[in-house]
Each structure stands twice: as C-alpha cells, then as structure tokens.
Amino acid sequence: MAIQGLWSPLQLPFLQLNNTAIVFIKLYAALVAGTCVASLLCFSLPEFLPGKRALAIALCVYHVTCSTVLFNAPRFIPHSFGALAESYRATPEVMWGTLHGLVGLGFAVWWQATVQIAAAMAKIAKSQ
C-alpha cells in the first residue's frame, strides 16, 4: 500500500478516486512508509527500551483504529470473494480490518509479555 500509494495511487483498486482521495491516499502512504522504516529500525533493539515499547503501543493504536474504520466503512474495494463469502459479510474491507485487528492484538500481546522485562530493567537502572 505504501509503495503503490506513493508512486501510482490511481492503480489502487478503489472506487471513485477523485483528487481529494488521491491526496489522502498519498498522505496515508507516506505515514505507512515512515512507520515501516521506524519499525524496521526498532526491530533489532532490546525489548525493554522505552522507544521500542512506545513505537509498539503507537502501532497497536494505529492498527486497532484502522481495523475499526475498515469494519465500519462502506464498500470501496470493487472486488469480491464470491457469493458465499459475501453472505457471511467476508468483504475485502472486513478482511483487511480483521488483519489490522490481528496485528494490533499482536502488539498488545507483545506489550504485555515484555512488561516484566521492562520493569526489571528499570529497577536495575534505578539501583545503579
């Protein structure tokens, strides 16, 4: 989404792309690209660093918000997974929202799993 949104947003499979929508797609693509770069740079850092944990919680909020927006969005992707999928409301927007929700849940689980490590490191740093 980030690469195609920056270089050729008109080729994205969205309905009714006007100039305003294209500008918003480019802004969103820039946000996603910057977030991806920050995530790649923070990935190899130790689990207890505040910057890594702050980025993780920011990404959790971002993905959960995207999930909510996509679940409540009207149809804007002109593709279908078939009549059976449509009968279960399995549209591209809902599937995309589900993926965002799962990624957000993953960040929340990671955040909770590393709370003890961060607390122990903070205690060690305080005692020195």
Side-chain angles (χ1 to χ4, degrees):
M1 175 72 182
I3 294 168
Q4 190 169 2
L6 288 171
W7 274 292
S8 60
L10 289 173
Q11 300 303 317
L12 290 168
F14 297 142
L15 296 173
Q16 300 175 353
L17 287 176
N18 57 22
N19 289 340
T20 305
I22 291 170
V23 168
F24 275 103
I25 287 172
K26 286 184 177 185
L27 290 172
Y28 174 74
L31 171 72
V32 170
T35 305
C36 287
V37 169
S39 297
L40 289 172
L41 291 173
C42 283
F43 181 73
S44 63
L45 294 176
E47 305 294 340
F48 57 84
L49 289 179
K52 184 172 184 175
R53 293 178 56 76
L55 180 64
I57 202 68
L59 287 171
C60 180
V61 169
Y62 164 74
H63 283 290
V64 169
T65 304
C66 284
S67 178
T68 304
V69 168
L70 288 167
F71 275 133
N72 295 313
R75 291 293 307 265
F76 64 95
I77 301 174
H79 293 290
S80 176
F81 297 129
L84 180 62
E86 292 282 335
S87 70
Y88 288 108
R89 198 175 175 257
T91 63
E93 294 83 5
V94 170
M95 293 294 105
W96 195 10
T98 301
L99 289 174
H100 271 290
L102 291 173
V103 171
L105 178 64
F107 279 114
V109 167
W110 175 85
W111 175 270
Q112 286 300 96
T114 59
V115 165
Q116 298 298 331
I117 299 169
M121 294 312 259
K123 193 177 203 182
I124 291 171
K126 199 176 210 182
S127 67
Q128 290 181 356

